[in-house]
Amino acid sequence: MDCLAEDIERLQPPVDLWRKFIYCTSLSGSILGSVDHMQPQDFEKIISPTSVAHFSQYKLVRLLLKQLETLGFYICAPSDFESLNHKIICERKILMGHECHSVNFTDKGVTVGVSFLEEGKIVDRDIHCDILVGSDGARSTVRKLVGIDMKGERDLQKLVSVHFLSRDLGQYLLHERPGMLFFIFNPKAIGVLVAHDLYEGEFVLQIPYYPPQQMFEDFDFKVCEQIISNLVGWNLADVQILDAKPWAMHAEVAENFVSFDNRVVLVGDAAHRFPPAGGFGMNTGIQDAHNLAWKISSLLNGIAPRSILQTYETERRPIAISNTELSVQNFKAAMAVPAALGLDPTIANSVHQVMNSSIGSILPSKLQKVALEGIFSIGRAQLSDFLLNEKNPLGSFRLAKLRRIFQEGKSLQLQFPAEDLGFRYYEGALVANAGHVPPQGTVEADGNSDRQLRKYVPAARTGSRLPHMQLHALKSPNEDCFSTLDLISGDKLEFVLVIAPIKQSYDLARIALKVASEFKVPLKVCVIWPQGSSSEKANGSDKELEPWSNYIDVEEVHRSSSMSWWDMCQMTSKGVILVRPDDHIAWTAESDAVKDPFLEMERVFTIILKRE
């Protein structure tokens, strides 16, 4: 969407306020260690036209709604609903405040029963659709109603999430110890504080709890305020708790992403639930939507049959499985820190299991609660300044162990470019290369077995994301640079064929445009010229691609590297790259190796679009 990345970059807090994870005994107490997750190269935008960002989800939703309104969508409140007829409902309307309660299938499609509040009364209404996309979160009602099960690890941990404001705390951290995440361990309490905005004093605190001995109802606002004070180190006078919610951490993936004759599709948290370690939840969800959008558009525009939607599951489910595994690894890395301090979470979970077993269950519930909290209190006593200091042999040993964890990069990590940018599809809406296909649930990168240390290495491989390089449009008065990723339209369905200004590639591109028109597939050709090429030379594309005019001549712009576009892609300059509307490469070839370009392009579009 236009300007969305720029808006996020402009509105997010300055990077120096969130680049660190800080481990401490309290927000005003001793710092046990800190990890800076940003390196100088992260700001150079070498592998991506944008940098990593720290931005609250509800703020992102506001920006997305604003973008949708700009695109002509109308945000409907429940009070607007009765005045809308069914046809208008289906056209560019975002219905706020509606909850799905039933899903039924007919010969004509899907009937979704929704309810909304109107003048204090619950009103029901049916909405008819051809495709139902369940993007309704980790507790997805759509997923449950259509009977899709989740597979994986459940209840890794239960937590209370407390959303609160405190400008006093924000100002203190802003000037004394700015950071994104604060892992706080002291004899009174343990918690993880997420600093969303230090200027505004906006925070979310995560507090572990262990039901049934500890229940969410035990955490009223007064108790939460006391826990906040224990973790801060003093009583904050301006704490305003906005919300407190319980949630369970799972690592699960839906057994099916597409079901009921390709009429129900799960996206985002509805399809996969990860531990919040590494930002995989939102990143994977956005990738889901990006993958699905062009396929739905192809179906609705008559370009592809309904079976194109099945490729969404074929491509996205293995990525979700892989990211689930990695998020669990990252979560376990986070648990290495309390374990080094003598608070091994596996021991806490074992104690809790014993308490819930037949042995512990014979005790009255109140006694169970007292016993569990007493045991945990004894455990937290190891965090006292008396024990946790360099003069105490045990404390010195534990602090040294903690330093090694941070120095070796074995604590919770923030950035995973190999997974966020380097993931690859091996089958689906693409022309798969012959040869190696990795087993389900793995993502290929640079071969490093330590997944936390993997680097993203750009390459133009079928199924991978188109690499980023800065370009300049030849024959344009505008001197601004843009990314290769900007060649793909953000507001319409269009494939892009990338070539070099070589006779055989021009010939193949001309035939590709003809075949695409017969398939009713919008296609644009991008001719990438070496840096230093003149606009006069680029005039040759007019004659070479005649009679087709849907092309653009661009010039490489080298910054920190002299590597050419084709070297980065690990191809020769005779390479041709067909890119899908979701930035992923659908087919590659060397133009001089294509014996019959017409038959080859017919084969390529038939396979990609799943045409009979």
Side-chain angles (χ1 to χ4, degrees):
M1 291 184 179
D2 289 343
C3 301
L4 182 60
E6 290 80 359
D7 286 345
I8 292 172
E9 192 168 347
R10 175 174 54 85
L11 295 171
Q12 71 170 339
V15 67
D16 285 341
L17 301 186
W18 55 265
R19 62 191 296 162
K20 291 183 178 181
F21 290 177
I22 296 175
Y23 300 79
C24 54
T25 57
S26 75
L27 294 180
S28 57
S30 302
I31 292 181
L32 303 172
S34 66
V35 179
D36 187 341
H37 292 282
M38 303 298 290
Q39 302 300 321
Q41 60 268 27
D42 294 328
F43 305 102
E44 295 172 2
K45 299 183 178 180
I46 299 299
I47 62 174
S48 172
T50 59
S51 299
V52 63
H54 177 46
F55 202 60
S56 299
Q57 181 172 332
Y58 77 90
K59 293 180 179 178
L60 177 60
V61 170
R62 288 176 184 170
L63 286 184
L64 291 173
L65 289 174
K66 182 179 177 182
Q67 287 277 349
L68 287 170
E69 287 183 308
T70 302
L71 293 171
F73 284 81
Y74 179 63
I75 312 300
C76 299
S79 57
D80 303 322
F81 197 68
E82 286 299 325
S83 62
L84 303 175
N85 63 44
H86 175 69
K87 183 178 179 181
I88 296 177
I89 289 173
C90 296
E91 295 177 356
R92 310 178 83 83
K93 297 292 183 292
I94 309 296
L95 307 180
M96 307 298 288
H98 292 69
E99 183 177 354
C100 170
H101 59 71
S102 68
V103 177
N104 295 293
F105 299 93
T106 67
D107 294 338
K108 296 181 179 180
V110 186
T111 300
V112 182
V114 300
S115 60
F116 56 95
L117 201 62
E118 184 178 63
E119 297 180 353
K121 295 181 179 180
I122 295 177
V123 179
D124 294 330
R125 186 158 186 175
D126 289 341
I127 297 177
H128 304 284
C129 58
D130 188 48
I131 302 168
L132 172 61
V133 178
S135 57
D136 50 341
R139 300 178 183 178
S140 172
T141 298
V142 171
R143 185 184 68 233
K144 293 173 184 175
L145 288 172
V146 299
I148 298 176
D149 294 328
M150 303 289 283
K151 292 185 67 176
E153 297 182 66
R154 290 186 57 83
D155 297 328
L156 294 173
Q157 193 167 44
K158 287 186 168 64
L159 301 106
V160 176
S161 179
V162 184
H163 186 192
F164 71 95
L165 301 176
S166 172
R167 288 192 175 273
D168 289 349
L169 180 58
Q171 288 301 306
Y172 169 77
L173 294 175
L174 183 66
H175 295 100
E176 298 297 329
R177 51 179 70 171
M180 179 197 290
L181 291 185
F182 296 84
F183 298 82
I184 311 165
F185 309 93
N186 68 48
K188 292 183 179 179
I190 291 174
V192 179
L193 185 73
V194 186
H196 280 289
D197 194 318
L198 295 181
Y199 286 120
E200 296 179 7
E202 181 187 4
F203 303 92
V204 174
L205 175 62
Q206 304 292 351
I207 309 165
Y209 77 109
Y210 296 82
Q213 292 79 20
Q214 297 173 329
M215 299 298 290
F216 169 65
E217 290 73 22
D218 299 335
F219 294 85
D220 58 28
F221 280 11
K222 187 174 182 180
V223 169
C224 291
E225 286 180 11
Q226 184 58 54
I227 293 173
I228 292 170
S229 296
N230 291 337
L231 295 173
V232 170
W234 78 85
N235 291 325
L236 294 167
D238 69 337
V239 171
Q240 178 188 356
I241 295 180
L242 304 178
D243 194 18
K245 293 180 179 178
W247 66 281
M249 186 185 297
H250 306 298
E252 297 180 305
V253 177
E255 290 189 325
N256 302 104
F257 283 19
V258 181
S259 61
F260 291 93
D261 193 28
N262 300 315
R263 292 193 180 276
V264 177
V265 185
L266 298 182
V267 172
D269 288 355
H272 38 72
R273 307 194 286 198
F274 307 142
F280 291 107
M282 177 164 287
N283 285 334
T284 309
I286 291 173
Q287 293 163 11
D288 290 345
H290 203 191
N291 183 289
L292 180 63
W294 78 268
K295 295 173 181 177
I296 290 179
S297 180
S298 297
L299 171 61
L300 297 180
N301 284 285
I303 295 172
R306 185 172 293 275
S307 58
I308 189 75
L309 299 183
Q310 194 61 47
T311 67
Y312 164 72
E313 177 175 319
T314 302
E315 294 176 351
R316 292 303 306 161
R317 192 168 183 273
I319 303 299
I321 292 171
S322 179
N323 286 352
T324 301
E325 295 170 355
L326 185 55
S327 64
V328 170
Q329 290 179 22
N330 211 25
F331 170 67
K332 289 179 178 177
M335 296 300 100
V337 171
L341 296 173
L343 300 174
D344 192 333
T346 59
I347 296 176
N349 290 333
S350 298
V351 170
H352 186 230
Q353 289 172 7
V354 170
M355 197 67 67
N356 291 331
S357 69
S358 56
I359 299 174
S361 61
I362 63 175
L363 298 173
S365 58
K366 288 185 178 180
L367 189 56
Q368 289 184 42
K369 178 181 175 67
V370 171
L372 184 69
E373 293 183 349
I375 294 170
F376 286 172
S377 179
I378 293 171
R380 291 195 304 269
Q382 300 177 83
L383 302 170
S384 67
D385 291 337
F386 174 75
L387 288 176
L388 201 59
N389 66 77
E390 295 292 354
K391 295 181 180 179
N392 184 294
L394 179 59
S396 178
F397 171 78
R398 287 176 173 173
L399 290 172
K401 187 175 182 180
L402 199 60
R403 284 193 294 272
R404 285 197 300 273
I405 290 173
F406 296 142
Q407 291 167 0
E408 295 171 5
K410 293 183 178 179
S411 61
L412 180 67
Q413 300 298 297
L414 174 64
Q415 296 197 61
F416 292 86
E419 284 71 28
D420 292 337
L421 302 178
F423 65 95
R424 182 183 180 188
Y425 306 135
Y426 287 86
E427 55 181 333
L430 49 84
V431 182
N433 290 336
H436 172 67
V437 176
Q440 186 183 49
T442 66
V443 180
E444 187 176 86
D446 62 359
N448 193 327
S449 60
D450 186 345
R451 303 191 65 170
Q452 293 189 5
L453 299 178
R454 291 171 56 190
K455 295 181 180 179
Y456 167 57
V457 180
R461 300 173 297 180
T462 301
S464 64
R465 190 170 180 263
L466 185 70
H468 157 69
M469 176 180 272
Q470 290 285 357
L471 303 173
H472 165 65
L474 294 171
K475 299 186 291 187
S476 169
N478 191 337
E479 295 294 327
D480 291 345
C481 293
F482 55 91
S483 169
T484 47
L485 297 168
D486 294 320
L487 296 170
I488 295 90
S489 174
D491 57 5
K492 63 181 178 181
L493 180 70
E494 184 178 66
F495 285 73
V496 173
L497 186 70
V498 181
I499 66 169
I502 292 174
K503 175 63 175 173
Q504 288 169 307
S505 297
Y506 275 128
D507 292 344
L508 190 149
R510 198 167 54 251
I511 291 172
L513 287 163
K514 176 176 174 56
V515 173
S517 68
E518 293 173 357
F519 275 71
K520 296 183 171 28
V521 176
L523 176 66
K524 177 173 68 179
V525 172
C526 171
V527 185
I528 297 186
W529 294 75
Q531 183 166 323
S533 300
S534 64
S535 298
E536 288 75 19
K537 279 188 177 182
N539 289 330
S541 295
D542 294 341
K543 182 178 180 181
E544 294 290 349
L545 294 173
E546 197 175 32
W548 308 98
S549 60
N550 193 25
Y551 69 90
I552 180 173
D553 287 291
V554 298
E555 173 192 9
E556 300 173 359
V557 177
H558 298 165
R559 289 192 170 177
S560 64
S561 171
S562 59
M563 183 179 291
S564 74
W565 165 252
W566 297 104
D567 287 340
M568 176 189 291
C569 291
Q570 300 178 24
M571 300 179 72
T572 74
S573 59
K574 295 179 181 178
V576 289
I577 305 170
L578 182 63
V579 189
R580 307 187 321 193
D582 64 349
D583 301 348
H584 280 260
I585 296 169
W587 170 76
T588 62
E590 296 287 323
S591 56
D592 61 345
V594 179
K595 303 304 180 184
D596 188 328
F598 190 86
L599 286 178
E600 176 64 5
M601 295 317 303
E602 279 195 330
R603 182 183 78 90
V604 166
F605 282 114
T606 298
I607 292 173
I608 294 169
L609 299 172
K610 303 305 170 189
R611 301 270 276 263
E612 293 296 333

